[in-house]
Amino acid sequence: MVLIVKLLKKKVMKNIKYVLPIFLAAMISCTKEAPATDGPENPDTPAAVTTLSASIGGDVTKTAMGAENAGKYPVTWSEGDRIRLNGGAESADAVIADGAKTASFNFGGEISAPFKAVYPSSAWKAEGVIAIPAEQAYVKGTFDPGSAVMLAYSDDSNLNFRHIMSYLYVTFTSENVTENIKTVEVKSLGTESMSGDFNVTFAAEGCTVAAAEANQAAVRVSCPDLALGTPVVVAVPAQTYASGVVVTVTYSDDTTKDFMSVGSFEAKAGKVYPLDLEIKTPGIYNVEGYEAFAAALNKGESVARWQDDHGVVNLYANLTKDENYTYISTLSVSFNGHGHSITCNKKSRPLFNTIAAGVTVSSLTTAGTYVYLEAGGEQAFASFARVNLGTIDHCTNTTSGELTATTGTAFGAFVGQNGGVISNSTNEGSISLTMQVPAGKKVACYGGGFAAYGHTTAGTSAGTFTNCTNRGEVIVNVTTGAIIRTGFGGICGVVIADGVVFEGCRNEATVKRQDDGAENITAACAVGGILGRSVSHFPGKEHWLDMDGNKKFNTKFTGCVNTGTVIDAVYNEHNFQTQNSDELGNKKVCAGGIVGAVMGKVAEPVTLVDCSNIGKVQAGYSNTKNSHVGGGLVGMASNVSLTNCVAEGVVEPTLGNIAGALGGMIGFARVNATISGGTAKPAVSVTTVSSPTKYSYGLVFGCVRTDGNASVSGVKLGGSITINGTAENISATNYTDYICKNVHFTAASAKPAVSGCSWSE
């Protein structure tokens, strides 16, 4: 039989002169239309025919673009075109007529209706399946005919083809690139298929096409070393690209350049291209773009399409998702949030496992809600990373959560372990953790407003915290069982490695460890406004602090401030000075405005310089046990030096309870505690009971252990001391008696050395 196909004389869109590619979109479909008015007359539908009359519908027909004329491109049939009918019969080459406006196809036999037609014949793969080629040839001034897939269906003798492809007319120019173009590749930034097998449903009401298998396969045009400025036409499936597309140009020197579209695009069937595609700086503009970036990074693929000229990945929109984002194993490229947020409404893990050394995450806010703990250890709660080896700068976390854990847990609102730098950042997310440990089981728990650990747990990389501000509550409540090896702080939970620095950090929120019927018995604990503790646990006695100094650390605090409330209310069955007559401090429960407990080095003590506390420090669990110490700056200290620090906050027992030693600056100075300069004007409040009868307190020290282990010089003193609600009468004539009212160690040797201090109301 002979099939006559008539080309409608349609024109396409206006002239296009672009530096970057541009798209328009529509859903893939083919529909039945009336025959062209200037085509041959059509007989009524026969059971079988030897001749069919057909036309091609749509704004753009086929199969070759003519020369641009007044902003429009005519399209015509080409010699060598072939079609396939009803899945099997392939036509001979097209016979061109009427200036390429019409073409006839000879099938050489009788074919019965209904008619299902595919162009080109090479696109047919199997019954109901077509194949869109991934590789396209460059054809000067037009598209590759083999990629211009069309479909038609008719139950009578009028056959009308419809395009299922869109044609991207791309011109590239650059002031910085002189190489010719080698290939042009287009890839979806989402999950839409660009090539491969597509299932086709032929029907009178219209044809539908759907990818046989979701993939992100690209389409690529191989170019014969084209000069910049030469147009390239790429055929892509007509469909909605929800996340946009990326166009990758490979130059003759094998360098590449990505041009990324922004947002969703609809590529309309039969359109050469639209006028107004917006191409912006490479970066992330939506959730799909972030997910594609994360997937590529995890696979070890190039992420150049998201990077600017400096190699930085930029976020240009606020992202919100209910579930966790794709967990990036190692963030190996710098990421700039430009003040935008990444929100996860049901978070259980951080964005990254590791931020690599040399990588910076900046100007990013993490937001949402923690709903459960996917994993304990150093990953729980963290919003940014489990481990930071790079730099987190000018970032904010607002993610909060009220969670329950039954096993060992470490948390930090920013990271689990900080082995890099966190600077100029703020935590506004509150963390409330209830530990429900099975009876008889003992687990560890660490946490802070920024990090659980101030270093990597292997101790190989020490972290720095600079100008970090915590405004989120850090509250841990133990209801059953026991937790040991603890430490909680407004900035960081624990430091057990050398070289960790806290500079210009500030806590403005409540940091609280509370027991409610727990089984800790002799477990020590340390809570601080900035840091929980800088001391390890005793060898072989993991529930004790190692105040004997088997391990010592040189942690530094400079310009740190606490204005929040620090509470350490942990059940402990011991009383102060019951470990032995010298009181080693290993079993103590400690609270400090800056740090709960420290063990420094003799040659490199823990240092606090220009630090201040104007918040409230509370310690105590019951009215029968006083194994708790509290200090305005430091709870318990060995080998520590304070220079020009200020203590003007409240130091007191928790409501209705007692404490062993409370000091305006340091609660219990075990050995080598030196204070020089600064101001001590605290409000120290003491509660006593008939048993135990001993309690120590002071404007500077609550208790010092032996002669020579503590000194204070050049400090301006003031403040108040209240015992059972009655204020002591402290004045310029007797204030030195209240620097340290040490009643636990009554020998004259158990007094701090005092020099150059003064009284100021």
Side-chain angles (χ1 to χ4, degrees):
M1 87 176 212
V2 176
L3 174 63
I4 306 294
V5 181
K6 182 175 180 60
L7 182 71
L8 293 178
K9 296 175 65 177
K10 297 282 187 181
K11 305 292 185 179
V12 296
M13 315 190 62
K14 295 193 261 181
N15 188 22
I16 305 152
K17 297 183 179 176
Y18 285 70
V19 175
L20 302 177
I22 313 182
F23 305 86
L24 186 64
M27 299 304 294
I28 297 176
S29 65
C30 59
T31 60
K32 174 184 171 183
E33 290 186 0
T37 56
D38 53 353
E41 294 183 0
N42 299 301
D44 294 334
T45 304
V49 298
T50 57
T51 301
L52 245 101
S53 176
S55 62
I56 301 175
D59 291 333
V60 179
T61 51
K62 79 152 300 315
T63 57
M65 293 167 55
E68 184 268 335
N69 180 26
K72 296 183 178 181
Y73 296 85
V75 285
T76 58
W77 287 99
S78 302
E79 293 184 2
D81 286 343
R82 290 189 176 192
I83 65 173
R84 191 176 295 271
L85 201 61
N86 288 2
E90 182 182 29
S91 72
D93 290 350
V95 177
I96 305 300
D98 192 17
K101 296 177 183 178
T102 62
S104 60
F105 296 90
N106 190 343
F107 285 84
E110 193 174 77
I111 300 177
S112 299
F115 304 108
K116 305 172 187 177
V118 177
Y119 173 87
S121 61
S122 59
W124 180 86
K125 184 172 183 180
E127 184 67 32
V129 181
I130 60 170
I132 295 177
E135 298 291 333
Q136 301 178 17
Y138 169 77
V139 180
K140 183 178 180 180
T142 186
F143 41 76
D144 177 3
S147 67
V149 182
M150 295 192 305
L151 303 174
Y153 176 88
S154 180
D155 53 9
D156 57 27
S157 58
N158 298 312
L159 192 61
N160 184 38
F161 279 92
R162 301 288 297 186
H163 286 263
I164 67 164
M165 305 295 285
S166 178
Y167 305 97
L168 313 181
Y169 184 102
V170 186
T171 302
F172 299 93
T173 61
S174 173
E175 296 178 357
N176 302 318
V177 178
T178 59
E179 299 292 331
N180 290 342
I181 297 174
K182 188 175 181 180
T183 62
V184 175
E185 182 180 85
V186 180
K187 185 176 182 179
S188 168
L189 287 174
T191 60
E192 299 86 7
S193 294
M194 303 289 288
S195 58
D197 292 349
F198 285 72
N199 295 323
V200 180
T201 300
F202 292 93
E205 60 273 15
C207 305
T208 59
V209 180
E213 182 178 354
N215 62 76
Q216 296 187 47
V219 291
R220 183 174 62 176
V221 176
S222 297
C223 306
D225 204 28
L226 294 181
L228 288 177
T230 304
V232 178
V233 182
V234 186
V236 299
Q239 58 187 331
T240 297
Y241 294 93
S243 301
V245 296
V246 58
V247 179
T248 301
V249 181
T250 301
Y251 299 99
S252 55
D253 61 355
D254 289 326
T255 60
T256 62
K257 178 67 174 179
D258 287 343
F259 300 97
M260 190 176 301
S261 64
V262 180
S264 176
F265 293 101
E266 290 186 53
K268 286 190 175 180
K271 298 291 185 180
V272 173
Y273 63 84
L275 298 178
D276 298 315
L277 171 69
E278 185 180 14
I279 299 291
K280 291 186 177 179
T281 303
I284 295 171
Y285 294 87
N286 49 42
V287 170
E288 293 80 7
Y290 180 89
E291 293 292 284
F293 158 72
L297 200 61
N298 285 341
K299 293 177 183 178
E301 298 175 353
S302 172
V303 294
R305 69 193 61 172
W306 293 281
Q307 292 175 287
D308 61 20
D309 292 339
H310 302 288
V312 177
V313 174
N314 297 282
L315 177 65
Y316 291 117
N318 296 327
L319 308 182
T320 300
K321 191 177 179 184
D322 281 341
E323 304 298 333
N324 288 313
Y325 291 78
T326 295
Y327 189 37
I328 294 176
S329 177
T330 299
L331 183 68
S332 55
V333 295
S334 292
F335 191 100
N336 189 336
H338 292 281
H340 293 103
S341 61
I342 297 180
T343 300
C344 181
N345 293 324
K346 298 178 181 179
K347 175 176 286 187
S348 67
R349 66 185 182 213
L351 292 172
F352 321 115
N353 179 68
T354 302
I355 299 174
V359 169
T360 297
V361 177
S362 59
S363 300
L364 176 65
T365 294
T366 51
T369 303
Y370 302 108
V371 293
Y372 67 98
L373 302 180
E374 182 169 304
E378 300 77 46
Q379 178 172 305
F381 284 124
S383 285
F384 284 85
R386 189 181 71 85
V387 179
N388 173 45
L389 299 176
T391 297
I392 300 174
D393 183 58
H394 283 94
C395 290
T396 300
N397 173 65
T398 65
T399 313
S400 295
E402 297 182 6
L403 299 175
T404 299
T406 59
T407 187
T409 301
F411 62 85
F414 270 65
V415 300
Q417 306 171 26
N418 181 32
V421 176
I422 304 178
S423 57
N424 307 307
S425 296
T426 302
N427 175 52
E428 296 179 353
S430 294
I431 298 169
S432 178
L433 175 64
T434 298
M435 296 293 293
Q436 294 181 345
V437 182
K441 185 177 181 180
K442 298 178 180 180
V443 300
C445 187
Y446 309 111
F450 279 80
Y453 294 88
H455 46 78
T456 54
T457 52
T460 55
S461 182
T464 296
F465 300 83
T466 302
N467 298 329
C468 293
T469 299
N470 177 56
R471 297 192 180 110
E473 291 184 335
V474 178
I475 297 176
V476 178
N477 184 32
V478 182
T479 59
T480 59
I483 61 172
I484 55 177
R485 300 195 309 273
T486 60
F488 307 100
I491 303 298
C492 182
V494 62
V495 167
I496 47 176
D498 274 345
V500 179
V501 174
F502 298 87
E503 183 176 9
C505 293
R506 185 179 183 92
N507 175 60
E508 301 176 359
T510 297
V511 183
K512 180 179 180 180
R513 160 71 197 281
Q514 173 72 50
D515 278 1
D516 183 10
E519 303 170 5
N520 288 298
I521 305 177
T522 60
C525 181
V527 178
I530 302 299
L531 173 67
R533 62 178 170 88
S534 178
V535 56
S536 63
H537 276 258
F538 197 86
K541 296 286 186 179
E542 59 185 3
H543 55 297
W544 292 0
L545 295 174
D546 184 15
M547 298 307 293
D548 285 352
N550 292 284
K551 294 181 180 180
K552 305 173 184 179
F553 312 107
N554 59 359
T555 308
K556 299 184 184 304
F557 302 86
T558 303
C560 294
V561 178
N562 176 62
T563 65
T565 298
V566 177
I567 302 172
D568 200 350
V570 175
Y571 175 67
N572 189 304
E573 69 176 7
H574 290 280
N575 281 314
F576 199 89
Q577 203 183 354
T578 56
Q579 183 175 331
N580 56 46
S581 60
D582 288 331
E583 180 52 76
L584 300 179
N586 294 334
K587 301 177 182 179
K588 298 283 88 58
V589 177
C590 314
I594 299 299
V595 56
V598 295
M599 169 55 75
K601 301 180 177 182
V602 175
E604 294 181 88
V606 171
T607 59
L608 281 75
V609 179
D610 297 326
C611 295
S612 64
N613 173 60
I614 58 175
K616 182 182 292 186
V617 176
Q618 295 182 330
Y621 181 82
S622 72
N623 61 3
T624 60
K625 305 295 181 182
N626 70 347
S627 189
H628 294 69
V629 299
L633 295 168
V634 182
M636 181 166 59
S638 290
N639 301 325
V640 64
S641 172
L642 278 64
T643 304
N644 295 326
C645 293
V646 175
E648 295 183 344
V650 174
V651 182
E652 63 184 12
T654 56
L655 184 63
N657 299 321
I658 60 172
L662 301 175
M665 285 188 153
I666 297 178
F668 176 38
R670 184 180 180 277
V671 63
N672 296 334
T674 301
I675 301 174
S676 60
T679 301
K681 295 183 179 181
V684 179
S685 180
V686 179
T687 300
T688 67
V689 293
S690 58
S691 178
T693 59
K694 291 183 177 181
Y695 50 93
S696 294
Y697 57 90
L699 297 173
V700 178
F701 297 102
C703 180
V704 297
R705 183 164 168 260
T706 57
D707 183 31
N709 79 317
S711 66
V712 53
S713 63
V715 176
K716 295 179 181 180
L717 293 166
S720 65
I721 294 178
T722 301
I723 300 177
N724 295 329
T726 301
E728 295 289 285
N729 186 16
I730 309 174
S731 67
T733 60
N734 68 352
Y735 73 88
T736 57
D737 294 336
Y738 290 91
I739 288 176
C740 179
K741 297 288 283 187
N742 182 4
V743 298
H744 285 93
F745 301 96
T746 57
S749 60
K751 300 292 183 182
V754 180
S755 64
C757 295
S758 61
W759 176 258
S760 175
E761 294 292 345

mmCIF file with all atom_site columns, all heavy atoms in Angstrom, residues 490-503:
data_model
loop_
_atom_site.group_PDB
_atom_site.id
_atom_site.type_symbol
_atom_site.label_atom_id
_atom_site.label_alt_id
_atom_site.label_comp_id
_atom_site.label_asym_id
_atom_site.label_entity_id
_atom_site.label_seq_id
_atom_site.pdbx_PDB_ins_code
_atom_site.Cartn_x
_atom_site.Cartn_y
_atom_site.Cartn_z
_atom_site.occupancy
_atom_site.B_iso_or_equiv
_atom_site.pdbx_formal_charge
_atom_site.auth_seq_id
_atom_site.auth_comp_id
_atom_site.auth_asym_id
_atom_site.auth_atom_id
_atom_site.pdbx_PDB_model_num
ATOM 1  N N   . GLY A 1 490 ? 26.380 23.963 78.028 1.00 0.00 ? 490 GLY A N   1
ATOM 2  C CA  . GLY A 1 490 ? 25.663 24.796 77.078 1.00 0.00 ? 490 GLY A CA  1
ATOM 3  C C   . GLY A 1 490 ? 26.306 24.803 75.710 1.00 0.00 ? 490 GLY A C   1
ATOM 4  O O   . GLY A 1 490 ? 25.626 24.920 74.685 1.00 0.00 ? 490 GLY A O   1
ATOM 5  N N   . ILE A 1 491 ? 27.625 24.645 75.666 1.00 0.00 ? 491 ILE A N   1
ATOM 6  C CA  . ILE A 1 491 ? 28.338 24.579 74.391 1.00 0.00 ? 491 ILE A CA  1
ATOM 7  C C   . ILE A 1 491 ? 28.769 23.152 74.096 1.00 0.00 ? 491 ILE A C   1
ATOM 8  O O   . ILE A 1 491 ? 28.533 22.628 73.012 1.00 0.00 ? 491 ILE A O   1
ATOM 9  C CB  . ILE A 1 491 ? 29.567 25.517 74.394 1.00 0.00 ? 491 ILE A CB  1
ATOM 10 C CG1 . ILE A 1 491 ? 29.145 26.955 74.690 1.00 0.00 ? 491 ILE A CG1 1
ATOM 11 C CG2 . ILE A 1 491 ? 30.299 25.435 73.050 1.00 0.00 ? 491 ILE A CG2 1
ATOM 12 C CD1 . ILE A 1 491 ? 28.214 27.576 73.686 1.00 0.00 ? 491 ILE A CD1 1
ATOM 13 N N   . CYS A 1 492 ? 29.408 22.492 75.076 1.00 0.00 ? 492 CYS A N   1
ATOM 14 C CA  . CYS A 1 492 ? 29.983 21.168 74.833 1.00 0.00 ? 492 CYS A CA  1
ATOM 15 C C   . CYS A 1 492 ? 29.851 20.300 76.078 1.00 0.00 ? 492 CYS A C   1
ATOM 16 O O   . CYS A 1 492 ? 29.877 20.806 77.209 1.00 0.00 ? 492 CYS A O   1
ATOM 17 C CB  . CYS A 1 492 ? 31.452 21.326 74.441 1.00 0.00 ? 492 CYS A CB  1
ATOM 18 S SG  . CYS A 1 492 ? 32.317 19.786 74.054 1.00 0.00 ? 492 CYS A SG  1
ATOM 19 N N   . GLY A 1 493 ? 29.724 19.002 75.870 1.00 0.00 ? 493 GLY A N   1
ATOM 20 C CA  . GLY A 1 493 ? 29.564 18.079 76.978 1.00 0.00 ? 493 GLY A CA  1
ATOM 21 C C   . GLY A 1 493 ? 30.847 17.720 77.674 1.00 0.00 ? 493 GLY A C   1
ATOM 22 O O   . GLY A 1 493 ? 30.985 17.873 78.888 1.00 0.00 ? 493 GLY A O   1
ATOM 23 N N   . VAL A 1 494 ? 31.829 17.235 76.918 1.00 0.00 ? 494 VAL A N   1
ATOM 24 C CA  . VAL A 1 494 ? 33.022 16.689 77.547 1.00 0.00 ? 494 VAL A CA  1
ATOM 25 C C   . VAL A 1 494 ? 34.258 16.949 76.690 1.00 0.00 ? 494 VAL A C   1
ATOM 26 O O   . VAL A 1 494 ? 34.185 16.961 75.456 1.00 0.00 ? 494 VAL A O   1
ATOM 27 C CB  . VAL A 1 494 ? 32.855 15.176 77.811 1.00 0.00 ? 494 VAL A CB  1
ATOM 28 C CG1 . VAL A 1 494 ? 32.665 14.410 76.506 1.00 0.00 ? 494 VAL A CG1 1
ATOM 29 C CG2 . VAL A 1 494 ? 34.022 14.612 78.595 1.00 0.00 ? 494 VAL A CG2 1
ATOM 30 N N   . VAL A 1 495 ? 35.403 17.168 77.364 1.00 0.00 ? 495 VAL A N   1
ATOM 31 C CA  . VAL A 1 495 ? 36.712 17.273 76.719 1.00 0.00 ? 495 VAL A CA  1
ATOM 32 C C   . VAL A 1 495 ? 37.655 16.315 77.419 1.00 0.00 ? 495 VAL A C   1
ATOM 33 O O   . VAL A 1 495 ? 37.881 16.428 78.633 1.00 0.00 ? 495 VAL A O   1
ATOM 34 C CB  . VAL A 1 495 ? 37.274 18.708 76.795 1.00 0.00 ? 495 VAL A CB  1
ATOM 35 C CG1 . VAL A 1 495 ? 38.754 18.717 76.413 1.00 0.00 ? 495 VAL A CG1 1
ATOM 36 C CG2 . VAL A 1 495 ? 36.489 19.638 75.889 1.00 0.00 ? 495 VAL A CG2 1
ATOM 37 N N   . ILE A 1 496 ? 38.189 15.366 76.687 1.00 0.00 ? 496 ILE A N   1
ATOM 38 C CA  . ILE A 1 496 ? 39.172 14.426 77.232 1.00 0.00 ? 496 ILE A CA  1
ATOM 39 C C   . ILE A 1 496 ? 40.331 14.286 76.245 1.00 0.00 ? 496 ILE A C   1
ATOM 40 O O   . ILE A 1 496 ? 40.794 13.192 75.943 1.00 0.00 ? 496 ILE A O   1
ATOM 41 C CB  . ILE A 1 496 ? 38.532 13.065 77.566 1.00 0.00 ? 496 ILE A CB  1
ATOM 42 C CG1 . ILE A 1 496 ? 37.638 12.559 76.426 1.00 0.00 ? 496 ILE A CG1 1
ATOM 43 C CG2 . ILE A 1 496 ? 37.732 13.158 78.848 1.00 0.00 ? 496 ILE A CG2 1
ATOM 44 C CD1 . ILE A 1 496 ? 37.066 11.168 76.677 1.00 0.00 ? 496 ILE A CD1 1
ATOM 45 N N   . ALA A 1 497 ? 40.788 15.445 75.741 1.00 0.00 ? 497 ALA A N   1
ATOM 46 C CA  . ALA A 1 497 ? 41.928 15.494 74.839 1.00 0.00 ? 497 ALA A CA  1
ATOM 47 C C   . ALA A 1 497 ? 42.552 16.878 74.937 1.00 0.00 ? 497 ALA A C   1
ATOM 48 O O   . ALA A 1 497 ? 41.893 17.846 75.323 1.00 0.00 ? 497 ALA A O   1
ATOM 49 C CB  . ALA A 1 497 ? 41.514 15.201 73.394 1.00 0.00 ? 497 ALA A CB  1
ATOM 50 N N   . ASP A 1 498 ? 43.815 16.993 74.595 1.00 0.00 ? 498 ASP A N   1
ATOM 51 C CA  . ASP A 1 498 ? 44.502 18.281 74.632 1.00 0.00 ? 498 ASP A CA  1
ATOM 52 C C   . ASP A 1 498 ? 44.079 19.190 73.486 1.00 0.00 ? 498 ASP A C   1
ATOM 53 O O   . ASP A 1 498 ? 43.646 18.729 72.424 1.00 0.00 ? 498 ASP A O   1
ATOM 54 C CB  . ASP A 1 498 ? 46.025 18.066 74.531 1.00 0.00 ? 498 ASP A CB  1
ATOM 55 C CG  . ASP A 1 498 ? 46.658 17.808 75.892 1.00 0.00 ? 498 ASP A CG  1
ATOM 56 O OD1 . ASP A 1 498 ? 46.001 18.069 76.910 1.00 0.00 ? 498 ASP A OD1 1
ATOM 57 O OD2 . ASP A 1 498 ? 47.816 17.339 75.923 1.00 0.00 ? 498 ASP A OD2 1
ATOM 58 N N   . GLY A 1 499 ? 44.236 20.507 73.719 1.00 0.00 ? 499 GLY A N   1
ATOM 59 C CA  . GLY A 1 499 ? 44.149 21.478 72.639 1.00 0.00 ? 499 GLY A CA  1
ATOM 60 C C   . GLY A 1 499 ? 42.792 22.055 72.343 1.00 0.00 ? 499 GLY A C   1
ATOM 61 O O   . GLY A 1 499 ? 42.642 22.821 71.392 1.00 0.00 ? 499 GLY A O   1
ATOM 62 N N   . VAL A 1 500 ? 41.771 21.748 73.120 1.00 0.00 ? 500 VAL A N   1
ATOM 63 C CA  . VAL A 1 500 ? 40.430 22.266 72.847 1.00 0.00 ? 500 VAL A CA  1
ATOM 64 C C   . VAL A 1 500 ? 40.334 23.700 73.374 1.00 0.00 ? 500 VAL A C   1
ATOM 65 O O   . VAL A 1 500 ? 40.768 24.003 74.487 1.00 0.00 ? 500 VAL A O   1
ATOM 66 C CB  . VAL A 1 500 ? 39.350 21.382 73.478 1.00 0.00 ? 500 VAL A CB  1
ATOM 67 C CG1 . VAL A 1 500 ? 37.959 21.961 73.212 1.00 0.00 ? 500 VAL A CG1 1
ATOM 68 C CG2 . VAL A 1 500 ? 39.445 19.963 72.922 1.00 0.00 ? 500 VAL A CG2 1
ATOM 69 N N   . VAL A 1 501 ? 39.723 24.573 72.565 1.00 0.00 ? 501 VAL A N   1
ATOM 70 C CA  . VAL A 1 501 ? 39.653 25.998 72.883 1.00 0.00 ? 501 VAL A CA  1
ATOM 71 C C   . VAL A 1 501 ? 38.207 26.475 72.828 1.00 0.00 ? 501 VAL A C   1
ATOM 72 O O   . VAL A 1 501 ? 37.474 26.174 71.879 1.00 0.00 ? 501 VAL A O   1
ATOM 73 C CB  . VAL A 1 501 ? 40.513 26.819 71.905 1.00 0.00 ? 501 VAL A CB  1
ATOM 74 C CG1 . VAL A 1 501 ? 40.323 28.312 72.128 1.00 0.00 ? 501 VAL A CG1 1
ATOM 75 C CG2 . VAL A 1 501 ? 41.987 26.447 72.038 1.00 0.00 ? 501 VAL A CG2 1
ATOM 76 N N   . PHE A 1 502 ? 37.814 27.255 73.833 1.00 0.00 ? 502 PHE A N   1
ATOM 77 C CA  . PHE A 1 502 ? 36.523 27.945 73.854 1.00 0.00 ? 502 PHE A CA  1
ATOM 78 C C   . PHE A 1 502 ? 36.821 29.437 73.941 1.00 0.00 ? 502 PHE A C   1
ATOM 79 O O   . PHE A 1 502 ? 37.405 29.901 74.922 1.00 0.00 ? 502 PHE A O   1
ATOM 80 C CB  . PHE A 1 502 ? 35.687 27.512 75.056 1.00 0.00 ? 502 PHE A CB  1
ATOM 81 C CG  . PHE A 1 502 ? 35.328 26.053 75.060 1.00 0.00 ? 502 PHE A CG  1
ATOM 82 C CD1 . PHE A 1 502 ? 36.189 25.118 75.622 1.00 0.00 ? 502 PHE A CD1 1
ATOM 83 C CD2 . PHE A 1 502 ? 34.137 25.618 74.502 1.00 0.00 ? 502 PHE A CD2 1
ATOM 84 C CE1 . PHE A 1 502 ? 35.868 23.771 75.632 1.00 0.00 ? 502 PHE A CE1 1
ATOM 85 C CE2 . PHE A 1 502 ? 33.808 24.270 74.500 1.00 0.00 ? 502 PHE A CE2 1
ATOM 86 C CZ  . PHE A 1 502 ? 34.677 23.338 75.067 1.00 0.00 ? 502 PHE A CZ  1
ATOM 87 N N   . GLU A 1 503 ? 36.444 30.176 72.921 1.00 0.00 ? 503 GLU A N   1
ATOM 88 C CA  . GLU A 1 503 ? 36.772 31.597 72.870 1.00 0.00 ? 503 GLU A CA  1
ATOM 89 C C   . GLU A 1 503 ? 35.525 32.408 72.532 1.00 0.00 ? 503 GLU A C   1
ATOM 90 O O   . GLU A 1 503 ? 34.877 32.168 71.517 1.00 0.00 ? 503 GLU A O   1
ATOM 91 C CB  . GLU A 1 503 ? 37.854 31.856 71.826 1.00 0.00 ? 503 GLU A CB  1
ATOM 92 C CG  . GLU A 1 503 ? 38.306 33.299 71.748 1.00 0.00 ? 503 GLU A CG  1
ATOM 93 C CD  . GLU A 1 503 ? 39.453 33.499 70.776 1.00 0.00 ? 503 GLU A CD  1
ATOM 94 O OE1 . GLU A 1 503 ? 39.781 32.547 70.042 1.00 0.00 ? 503 GLU A OE1 1
ATOM 95 O OE2 . GLU A 1 503 ? 40.021 34.600 70.738 1.00 0.00 ? 503 GLU A OE2 1
#
